Amino acid sequence: MSDQAVISESDALRILAYLTASADTQLFEPDIYGPFRLVEAASQLAGAVLDGEPTENREFWEGVRSSLEDNKFRVIWDRPGFREFVRETPREVAGELTRRDNDRTSA
Amino acid sequence: MSSDRPVYESIRSRRAVRDFTDEPVSRGALERILRAARWAPSAGNRRLHKFVALEDAQAIARIKAISPGMFGEPPVLIVICTDAEQLARENVKDHDTSTMVDVGTTAMCMMLAAHELGLGTCPTTSFSAGGVRGALNLPDHLTPDFMLQVGHAKPLPPGGGGGTKLTIDEITHWGAYPSD
Ligand SMILES: Cc1cc2nc3c(=O)[nH]c(=O)nc-3n(C[C@H](O)[C@H](O)[C@H](O)COP(=O)(O)O)c2cc1C
């Protein structure tokens, strides 16, 4: 597990703005936009981490970022596919958490 | 039927644009779009709107940050605000839905005027009204109801844009519905 600080404060503010605005728009927008906005925010977060040039785990962040970017607009044209993608993504992220825990305990 | 229907062709060929080039929009073009807004039909000719026109990239980026439905980086953004002082002067009731229809007619006039000038637009309502108020320092009597992104469109990917449109038979019932 890397403890390198990679997100700039200005990127954090941009993501905070996006998340709080999305919480507001979700008061009136279709429910399915909720997962879509969270996927977008997750992608922005991954993008911000990559901008900070992480010395470790870059491959993971690149993978997750391109997967989020490639799949987010399926909300418009392939809703079942989008739902499937949203359900599957946490499994991959949890796999990364597990991998890092295992690395730590075996170190 | 004659194909000499420039208005119909404009309506047909306008598409929501979400990807803009860096090319600026001239002040003349922007003024023409705003002039078109003045000619929009308005219920009771009440003229409820104030417009905020943004050309500054930093100000537009600020609005984008609190507008989840804004995907592009347009060189121009026009915010249509409904003016509560004008609503009060015109004695408009709370549930008068024509106020939102007025926003729509105005927006459509602006989109078609922009389209005629070769500019792309994206109608936008997925934004935090509170966020827009804060970012623009709007006075309390102005409510941001709609935003129009304006700029030069990047070419759409093949087949992109607009999706499929319904046929008139799918959306039209000819005559009154029969009584039971
Ligand atoms: C009232 C209204 C609000 C809209 N809000 C957004 C928005 O927040 N973001 C966006 O990208 N598109 C928005 N659109 C654009 C629609 O998604 C678009 O018009 C629709 O998909 C049909 O595509 P077309 O305009 O290219 O025919 C909005 C359209 C309208 C009329």
PDB file of all heavy atoms in Angstrom, chain A residues 54-76:
ATOM      1  N   PRO A  54       1.868   8.931  -9.704  1.00  0.00           N
ATOM      2  CA  PRO A  54       2.162   7.997  -8.620  1.00  0.00           C
ATOM      3  C   PRO A  54       3.374   7.131  -8.980  1.00  0.00           C
ATOM      4  O   PRO A  54       3.506   6.711 -10.126  1.00  0.00           O
ATOM      5  CB  PRO A  54       0.881   7.141  -8.538  1.00  0.00           C
ATOM      6  CG  PRO A  54       0.259   7.252  -9.893  1.00  0.00           C
ATOM      7  CD  PRO A  54       0.600   8.615 -10.403  1.00  0.00           C
ATOM      8  N   THR A  55       4.218   6.911  -8.007  1.00  0.00           N
ATOM      9  CA  THR A  55       5.411   6.095  -8.292  1.00  0.00           C
ATOM     10  C   THR A  55       5.078   4.614  -8.203  1.00  0.00           C
ATOM     11  O   THR A  55       5.759   3.782  -8.760  1.00  0.00           O
ATOM     12  CB  THR A  55       6.538   6.436  -7.291  1.00  0.00           C
ATOM     13  OG1 THR A  55       5.975   6.395  -5.980  1.00  0.00           O
ATOM     14  CG2 THR A  55       7.114   7.810  -7.570  1.00  0.00           C
ATOM     15  N   GLU A  56       3.989   4.306  -7.491  1.00  0.00           N
ATOM     16  CA  GLU A  56       3.579   2.900  -7.369  1.00  0.00           C
ATOM     17  C   GLU A  56       2.151   2.740  -7.901  1.00  0.00           C
ATOM     18  O   GLU A  56       1.371   3.681  -7.869  1.00  0.00           O
ATOM     19  CB  GLU A  56       3.572   2.477  -5.901  1.00  0.00           C
ATOM     20  CG  GLU A  56       4.949   2.319  -5.289  1.00  0.00           C
ATOM     21  CD  GLU A  56       4.831   2.008  -3.812  1.00  0.00           C
ATOM     22  OE1 GLU A  56       4.287   0.936  -3.486  1.00  0.00           O
ATOM     23  OE2 GLU A  56       5.231   2.856  -3.008  1.00  0.00           O
ATOM     24  N   ASN A  57       1.824   1.558  -8.300  1.00  0.00           N
ATOM     25  CA  ASN A  57       0.454   1.175  -8.640  1.00  0.00           C
ATOM     26  C   ASN A  57      -0.134   1.948  -9.825  1.00  0.00           C
ATOM     27  O   ASN A  57      -1.351   2.023  -9.979  1.00  0.00           O
ATOM     28  CB  ASN A  57      -0.484   1.342  -7.430  1.00  0.00           C
ATOM     29  CG  ASN A  57       0.049   0.625  -6.215  1.00  0.00           C
ATOM     30  OD1 ASN A  57       0.442  -0.531  -6.308  1.00  0.00           O
ATOM     31  ND2 ASN A  57       0.087   1.316  -5.085  1.00  0.00           N
ATOM     32  N   ARG A  58       0.720   2.515 -10.630  1.00  0.00           N
ATOM     33  CA  ARG A  58       0.231   3.308 -11.756  1.00  0.00           C
ATOM     34  C   ARG A  58      -0.666   2.473 -12.681  1.00  0.00           C
ATOM     35  O   ARG A  58      -1.698   2.940 -13.162  1.00  0.00           O
ATOM     36  CB  ARG A  58       1.440   3.861 -12.520  1.00  0.00           C
ATOM     37  CG  ARG A  58       1.033   4.825 -13.591  1.00  0.00           C
ATOM     38  CD  ARG A  58       2.140   5.550 -14.293  1.00  0.00           C
ATOM     39  NE  ARG A  58       1.471   6.409 -15.249  1.00  0.00           N
ATOM     40  CZ  ARG A  58       1.130   7.661 -15.013  1.00  0.00           C
ATOM     41  NH1 ARG A  58       1.446   8.229 -13.882  1.00  0.00           N
ATOM     42  NH2 ARG A  58       0.463   8.359 -15.907  1.00  0.00           N
ATOM     43  N   GLU A  59      -0.248   1.242 -12.883  1.00  0.00           N
ATOM     44  CA  GLU A  59      -0.979   0.377 -13.807  1.00  0.00           C
ATOM     45  C   GLU A  59      -2.436   0.193 -13.348  1.00  0.00           C
ATOM     46  O   GLU A  59      -3.363   0.228 -14.150  1.00  0.00           O
ATOM     47  CB  GLU A  59      -0.298  -0.987 -13.849  1.00  0.00           C
ATOM     48  CG  GLU A  59      -0.335  -1.634 -15.196  1.00  0.00           C
ATOM     49  CD  GLU A  59       0.579  -2.839 -15.199  1.00  0.00           C
ATOM     50  OE1 GLU A  59       1.815  -2.651 -15.267  1.00  0.00           O
ATOM     51  OE2 GLU A  59       0.046  -3.949 -15.078  1.00  0.00           O
ATOM     52  N   PHE A  60      -2.591  -0.002 -12.038  1.00  0.00           N
ATOM     53  CA  PHE A  60      -3.950  -0.164 -11.511  1.00  0.00           C
ATOM     54  C   PHE A  60      -4.794   1.075 -11.819  1.00  0.00           C
ATOM     55  O   PHE A  60      -5.911   0.981 -12.334  1.00  0.00           O
ATOM     56  CB  PHE A  60      -3.922  -0.408  -9.990  1.00  0.00           C
ATOM     57  CG  PHE A  60      -5.270  -0.174  -9.360  1.00  0.00           C
ATOM     58  CD1 PHE A  60      -6.312  -1.082  -9.558  1.00  0.00           C
ATOM     59  CD2 PHE A  60      -5.519   0.981  -8.625  1.00  0.00           C
ATOM     60  CE1 PHE A  60      -7.569  -0.852  -9.010  1.00  0.00           C
ATOM     61  CE2 PHE A  60      -6.779   1.219  -8.075  1.00  0.00           C
ATOM     62  CZ  PHE A  60      -7.796   0.304  -8.272  1.00  0.00           C
ATOM     63  N   TRP A  61      -4.248   2.256 -11.522  1.00  0.00           N
ATOM     64  CA  TRP A  61      -5.014   3.495 -11.725  1.00  0.00           C
ATOM     65  C   TRP A  61      -5.314   3.733 -13.202  1.00  0.00           C
ATOM     66  O   TRP A  61      -6.404   4.197 -13.549  1.00  0.00           O
ATOM     67  CB  TRP A  61      -4.262   4.693 -11.116  1.00  0.00           C
ATOM     68  CG  TRP A  61      -4.292   4.644  -9.614  1.00  0.00           C
ATOM     69  CD1 TRP A  61      -3.287   4.277  -8.781  1.00  0.00           C
ATOM     70  CD2 TRP A  61      -5.419   4.945  -8.777  1.00  0.00           C
ATOM     71  NE1 TRP A  61      -3.707   4.331  -7.473  1.00  0.00           N
ATOM     72  CE2 TRP A  61      -5.012   4.740  -7.444  1.00  0.00           C
ATOM     73  CE3 TRP A  61      -6.729   5.359  -9.025  1.00  0.00           C
ATOM     74  CZ2 TRP A  61      -5.867   4.942  -6.359  1.00  0.00           C
ATOM     75  CZ3 TRP A  61      -7.583   5.561  -7.955  1.00  0.00           C
ATOM     76  CH2 TRP A  61      -7.143   5.347  -6.634  1.00  0.00           C
ATOM     77  N   GLU A  62      -4.347   3.403 -14.065  1.00  0.00           N
ATOM     78  CA  GLU A  62      -4.589   3.552 -15.511  1.00  0.00           C
ATOM     79  C   GLU A  62      -5.701   2.618 -15.959  1.00  0.00           C
ATOM     80  O   GLU A  62      -6.588   3.009 -16.717  1.00  0.00           O
ATOM     81  CB  GLU A  62      -3.302   3.257 -16.302  1.00  0.00           C
ATOM     82  CG  GLU A  62      -2.369   4.439 -16.326  1.00  0.00           C
ATOM     83  CD  GLU A  62      -1.005   4.106 -16.936  1.00  0.00           C
ATOM     84  OE1 GLU A  62      -0.708   2.913 -17.154  1.00  0.00           O
ATOM     85  OE2 GLU A  62      -0.253   5.066 -17.168  1.00  0.00           O
ATOM     86  N   GLY A  63      -5.661   1.399 -15.454  1.00  0.00           N
ATOM     87  CA  GLY A  63      -6.665   0.405 -15.855  1.00  0.00           C
ATOM     88  C   GLY A  63      -8.055   0.833 -15.420  1.00  0.00           C
ATOM     89  O   GLY A  63      -9.013   0.805 -16.208  1.00  0.00           O
ATOM     90  N   VAL A  64      -8.157   1.252 -14.164  1.00  0.00           N
ATOM     91  CA  VAL A  64      -9.473   1.596 -13.647  1.00  0.00           C
ATOM     92  C   VAL A  64     -10.000   2.851 -14.349  1.00  0.00           C
ATOM     93  O   VAL A  64     -11.162   2.945 -14.724  1.00  0.00           O
ATOM     94  CB  VAL A  64      -9.451   1.711 -12.094  1.00  0.00           C
ATOM     95  CG1 VAL A  64      -8.960   3.052 -11.593  1.00  0.00           C
ATOM     96  CG2 VAL A  64     -10.820   1.432 -11.509  1.00  0.00           C
ATOM     97  N   ARG A  65      -9.105   3.790 -14.599  1.00  0.00           N
ATOM     98  CA  ARG A  65      -9.518   5.020 -15.269  1.00  0.00           C
ATOM     99  C   ARG A  65     -10.027   4.730 -16.686  1.00  0.00           C
ATOM    100  O   ARG A  65     -11.085   5.202 -17.095  1.00  0.00           O
ATOM    101  CB  ARG A  65      -8.330   5.988 -15.314  1.00  0.00           C
ATOM    102  CG  ARG A  65      -8.426   7.082 -16.342  1.00  0.00           C
ATOM    103  CD  ARG A  65      -8.940   8.347 -15.754  1.00  0.00           C
ATOM    104  NE  ARG A  65      -8.711   9.468 -16.648  1.00  0.00           N
ATOM    105  CZ  ARG A  65      -9.492  10.526 -16.718  1.00  0.00           C
ATOM    106  NH1 ARG A  65     -10.541  10.609 -15.952  1.00  0.00           N
ATOM    107  NH2 ARG A  65      -9.241  11.505 -17.531  1.00  0.00           N
ATOM    108  N   SER A  66      -9.284   3.908 -17.447  1.00  0.00           N
ATOM    109  CA  SER A  66      -9.741   3.696 -18.819  1.00  0.00           C
ATOM    110  C   SER A  66     -11.008   2.845 -18.826  1.00  0.00           C
ATOM    111  O   SER A  66     -11.894   3.072 -19.660  1.00  0.00           O
ATOM    112  CB  SER A  66      -8.639   3.140 -19.725  1.00  0.00           C
ATOM    113  OG  SER A  66      -8.239   1.901 -19.254  1.00  0.00           O
ATOM    114  N   SER A  67     -11.139   1.944 -17.876  1.00  0.00           N
ATOM    115  CA  SER A  67     -12.377   1.165 -17.829  1.00  0.00           C
ATOM    116  C   SER A  67     -13.576   2.077 -17.514  1.00  0.00           C
ATOM    117  O   SER A  67     -14.649   1.973 -18.133  1.00  0.00           O
ATOM    118  CB  SER A  67     -12.205   0.063 -16.787  1.00  0.00           C
ATOM    119  OG  SER A  67     -13.428  -0.433 -16.393  1.00  0.00           O
ATOM    120  N   LEU A  68     -13.412   3.007 -16.577  1.00  0.00           N
ATOM    121  CA  LEU A  68     -14.510   3.930 -16.237  1.00  0.00           C
ATOM    122  C   LEU A  68     -14.848   4.823 -17.425  1.00  0.00           C
ATOM    123  O   LEU A  68     -16.022   5.022 -17.767  1.00  0.00           O
ATOM    124  CB  LEU A  68     -14.123   4.785 -15.019  1.00  0.00           C
ATOM    125  CG  LEU A  68     -13.973   4.033 -13.680  1.00  0.00           C
ATOM    126  CD1 LEU A  68     -13.220   4.889 -12.654  1.00  0.00           C
ATOM    127  CD2 LEU A  68     -15.339   3.620 -13.123  1.00  0.00           C
ATOM    128  N   GLU A  69     -13.816   5.344 -18.086  1.00  0.00           N
ATOM    129  CA  GLU A  69     -14.050   6.230 -19.234  1.00  0.00           C
ATOM    130  C   GLU A  69     -14.727   5.477 -20.389  1.00  0.00           C
ATOM    131  O   GLU A  69     -15.636   5.992 -21.033  1.00  0.00           O
ATOM    132  CB  GLU A  69     -12.730   6.844 -19.729  1.00  0.00           C
ATOM    133  CG  GLU A  69     -12.243   7.995 -18.883  1.00  0.00           C
ATOM    134  CD  GLU A  69     -13.225   9.158 -18.866  1.00  0.00           C
ATOM    135  OE1 GLU A  69     -13.497   9.740 -19.926  1.00  0.00           O
ATOM    136  OE2 GLU A  69     -13.739   9.464 -17.774  1.00  0.00           O
ATOM    137  N   ASP A  70     -14.258   4.250 -20.626  1.00  0.00           N
ATOM    138  CA  ASP A  70     -14.793   3.494 -21.766  1.00  0.00           C
ATOM    139  C   ASP A  70     -16.245   3.092 -21.564  1.00  0.00           C
ATOM    140  O   ASP A  70     -16.962   2.851 -22.528  1.00  0.00           O
ATOM    141  CB  ASP A  70     -13.975   2.214 -22.008  1.00  0.00           C
ATOM    142  CG  ASP A  70     -12.580   2.524 -22.529  1.00  0.00           C
ATOM    143  OD1 ASP A  70     -12.343   3.694 -22.897  1.00  0.00           O
ATOM    144  OD2 ASP A  70     -11.739   1.603 -22.545  1.00  0.00           O
ATOM    145  N   ASN A  71     -16.652   2.950 -20.318  1.00  0.00           N
ATOM    146  CA  ASN A  71     -17.984   2.382 -20.062  1.00  0.00           C
ATOM    147  C   ASN A  71     -19.032   3.369 -19.575  1.00  0.00           C
ATOM    148  O   ASN A  71     -20.220   3.043 -19.568  1.00  0.00           O
ATOM    149  CB  ASN A  71     -17.867   1.245 -19.039  1.00  0.00           C
ATOM    150  CG  ASN A  71     -17.241   0.016 -19.659  1.00  0.00           C
ATOM    151  OD1 ASN A  71     -17.897  -0.684 -20.424  1.00  0.00           O
ATOM    152  ND2 ASN A  71     -15.972  -0.236 -19.360  1.00  0.00           N
ATOM    153  N   LYS A  72     -18.635   4.573 -19.169  1.00  0.00           N
ATOM    154  CA  LYS A  72     -19.605   5.445 -18.488  1.00  0.00           C
ATOM    155  C   LYS A  72     -20.786   5.831 -19.388  1.00  0.00           C
ATOM    156  O   LYS A  72     -21.928   5.866 -18.923  1.00  0.00           O
ATOM    157  CB  LYS A  72     -18.914   6.680 -17.902  1.00  0.00           C
ATOM    158  CG  LYS A  72     -18.333   7.640 -18.906  1.00  0.00           C
ATOM    159  CD  LYS A  72     -17.588   8.789 -18.219  1.00  0.00           C
ATOM    160  CE  LYS A  72     -17.123   9.815 -19.226  1.00  0.00           C
ATOM    161  NZ  LYS A  72     -16.281  10.857 -18.647  1.00  0.00           N
ATOM    162  N   PHE A  73     -20.530   6.085 -20.679  1.00  0.00           N
ATOM    163  CA  PHE A  73     -21.634   6.549 -21.534  1.00  0.00           C
ATOM    164  C   PHE A  73     -22.561   5.417 -21.985  1.00  0.00           C
ATOM    165  O   PHE A  73     -23.550   5.666 -22.672  1.00  0.00           O
ATOM    166  CB  PHE A  73     -21.112   7.341 -22.731  1.00  0.00           C
ATOM    167  CG  PHE A  73     -20.695   8.740 -22.354  1.00  0.00           C
ATOM    168  CD1 PHE A  73     -19.417   9.197 -22.603  1.00  0.00           C
ATOM    169  CD2 PHE A  73     -21.583   9.601 -21.716  1.00  0.00           C
ATOM    170  CE1 PHE A  73     -19.025  10.482 -22.243  1.00  0.00           C
ATOM    171  CE2 PHE A  73     -21.208  10.889 -21.346  1.00  0.00           C
ATOM    172  CZ  PHE A  73     -19.924  11.324 -21.613  1.00  0.00           C
ATOM    173  N   ARG A  74     -22.241   4.194 -21.542  1.00  0.00           N
ATOM    174  CA  ARG A  74     -23.207   3.124 -21.815  1.00  0.00           C
ATOM    175  C   ARG A  74     -24.527   3.415 -21.117  1.00  0.00           C
ATOM    176  O   ARG A  74     -25.562   2.860 -21.475  1.00  0.00           O
ATOM    177  CB  ARG A  74     -22.650   1.775 -21.356  1.00  0.00           C
ATOM    178  CG  ARG A  74     -21.526   1.316 -22.270  1.00  0.00           C
ATOM    179  CD  ARG A  74     -20.795   0.140 -21.694  1.00  0.00           C
ATOM    180  NE  ARG A  74     -21.501  -1.105 -21.951  1.00  0.00           N
ATOM    181  CZ  ARG A  74     -21.034  -2.287 -21.582  1.00  0.00           C
ATOM    182  NH1 ARG A  74     -19.894  -2.374 -20.943  1.00  0.00           N
ATOM    183  NH2 ARG A  74     -21.717  -3.376 -21.840  1.00  0.00           N
ATOM    184  N   VAL A  75     -24.487   4.298 -20.119  1.00  0.00           N
ATOM    185  CA  VAL A  75     -25.738   4.697 -19.467  1.00  0.00           C
ATOM    186  C   VAL A  75     -26.737   5.229 -20.491  1.00  0.00           C
ATOM    187  O   VAL A  75     -27.946   5.108 -20.323  1.00  0.00           O
ATOM    188  CB  VAL A  75     -25.478   5.743 -18.342  1.00  0.00           C
ATOM    189  CG1 VAL A  75     -25.085   7.100 -18.908  1.00  0.00           C
ATOM    190  CG2 VAL A  75     -26.706   5.890 -17.450  1.00  0.00           C
ATOM    191  N   ILE A  76     -26.233   5.815 -21.586  1.00  0.00           N
ATOM    192  CA  ILE A  76     -27.121   6.374 -22.620  1.00  0.00           C
ATOM    193  C   ILE A  76     -27.579   5.284 -23.586  1.00  0.00           C
ATOM    194  O   ILE A  76     -28.751   5.185 -23.895  1.00  0.00           O
ATOM    195  CB  ILE A  76     -26.398   7.492 -23.438  1.00  0.00           C
ATOM    196  CG1 ILE A  76     -25.770   8.549 -22.522  1.00  0.00           C
ATOM    197  CG2 ILE A  76     -27.332   8.122 -24.480  1.00  0.00           C
ATOM    198  CD1 ILE A  76     -26.729   9.493 -21.873  1.00  0.00           C
TER     199      ILE A  76
END
